[in-house]
Amino acid sequence: MPEKLIVNILQVLSINMRWMTWNLFLAFIPVVLSIWLFRHKKGRSWVWWLGFLVFYAFLPNAPYLLTDIIHLIHDIRTIQSVWMIILVLIPVYFVVIFAGFEAYVISLINFGYYLHRIGKSQWVLGMELITHALCAVGVYWGRFLRFNSWDFVTQPDALLTKGVEELLGKQPLFIVFITFVILSVLHWLMKRVTLGFINQRNSRIEITS
């Protein structure tokens, strides 16, 4: 019986690792772009603006990992072993979802750093709220309509028709609003934890130096 459980959970993890790895790869694209866009001093050329648009197109992939909790629910029903679920399955999902959302937080921290640097500190809160709203729409499009970031280029007509029309319904608007609230609250918490960790680390480096 234990051998069967181990084989079962290894099969589940092997299947999950495919989409988990892919989703994490997509989630960290905006992190890399945010470093290039906001941490390096450069002029805002057309290349910069193109990178900025790509950044926002891929950014919803980071908080999108929060919705992968539905796969966890399915896997729990499949494995049916409390210890395997607690010791293996939940920790794996926690790491993946946490890493994805942390990528979202770091991307916005880098954007905020850029606004501070160019003397637009008063725009940070507005930028964050607008970003949460846009990403809430993006998460809805990805989870329910199965759109991808590159569909802005491959099928923009579908995004402007089906995507916009779908948002006019009461249920989609409610889901987007709830997603916006969740993103806002989690980002507020994680941003403070992340900045606290960074400041503490920098203080230790200064003391050591």
Side-chain angles (χ1 to χ4, degrees):
M1 189 69 176
E3 293 180 358
K4 185 178 180 181
L5 275 175
I6 293 174
V7 171
N8 191 9
I9 198 165
L10 286 176
Q11 289 176 343
V12 171
L13 288 177
S14 64
I15 294 172
N16 286 343
M17 283 303 167
R18 299 170 189 171
W19 64 260
M20 285 179 175
T21 303
W22 175 245
N23 285 356
L24 279 176
F25 170 75
L26 294 177
F28 276 87
I29 288 178
V31 176
V32 175
L33 286 172
S34 71
I35 295 172
W36 176 72
L37 289 168
F38 308 130
R39 287 287 176 174
H40 297 293
K41 293 182 179 180
K42 58 172 67 68
R44 284 175 286 186
S45 63
W46 70 268
V47 176
W48 189 93
W49 283 109
L50 178 62
F52 183 77
L53 292 176
V54 174
F55 166 77
Y56 260 103
F58 278 90
L59 188 58
N61 289 295
Y64 176 85
L65 280 160
L66 292 172
T67 67
D68 287 332
I69 197 74
I70 63 173
H71 296 297
L72 174 60
I73 297 172
H74 175 268
D75 290 343
I76 288 174
R77 294 172 180 171
T78 302
I79 293 175
Q80 296 179 345
S81 169
V82 175
W83 289 112
M84 285 292 188
I85 292 170
I86 294 175
L87 298 177
V88 179
L89 203 61
I90 290 179
V92 169
Y93 269 89
F94 175 79
V95 169
V96 172
I97 293 174
F98 176 83
F101 199 79
E102 184 64 17
Y104 180 66
V105 173
I106 292 174
S107 297
L108 291 191
I109 287 176
N110 287 337
F111 196 174
Y113 167 83
Y114 174 78
L115 292 177
H116 284 302
R117 199 183 73 207
I118 64 173
K120 302 295 182 182
S121 300
Q122 69 275 15
W123 290 5
V124 173
L125 179 59
M127 174 273 293
E128 292 175 345
L129 293 176
I130 291 172
T131 301
H132 298 330
L134 292 175
C135 284
V137 173
V139 169
Y140 179 85
W141 281 350
R143 174 53 65 189
F144 294 97
L145 303 184
R146 310 309 298 168
F147 283 122
N148 296 303
S149 297
W150 45 89
D151 288 332
F152 283 101
V153 176
T154 59
Q155 47 178 340
D157 53 336
L159 278 172
L160 293 175
T161 55
K162 183 180 179 181
V164 175
E165 288 176 4
E166 185 74 16
L167 293 176
L168 298 179
K170 291 182 179 180
Q171 184 175 353
L173 282 176
F174 178 75
I175 294 174
V176 169
F177 175 74
I178 294 298
T179 305
F180 168 78
V181 172
I182 293 173
L183 293 184
S184 300
V185 173
L186 287 180
H187 172 265
W188 184 85
L189 293 172
M190 289 298 299
K191 179 181 178 181
R192 272 140 191 81
V193 172
T194 303
L195 290 176
F197 176 79
I198 293 173
N199 292 334
Q200 186 178 26
R201 180 175 174 272
N202 291 338
S203 298
R204 287 178 179 177
I205 292 175
E206 290 177 1
I207 292 173
T208 304
S209 300

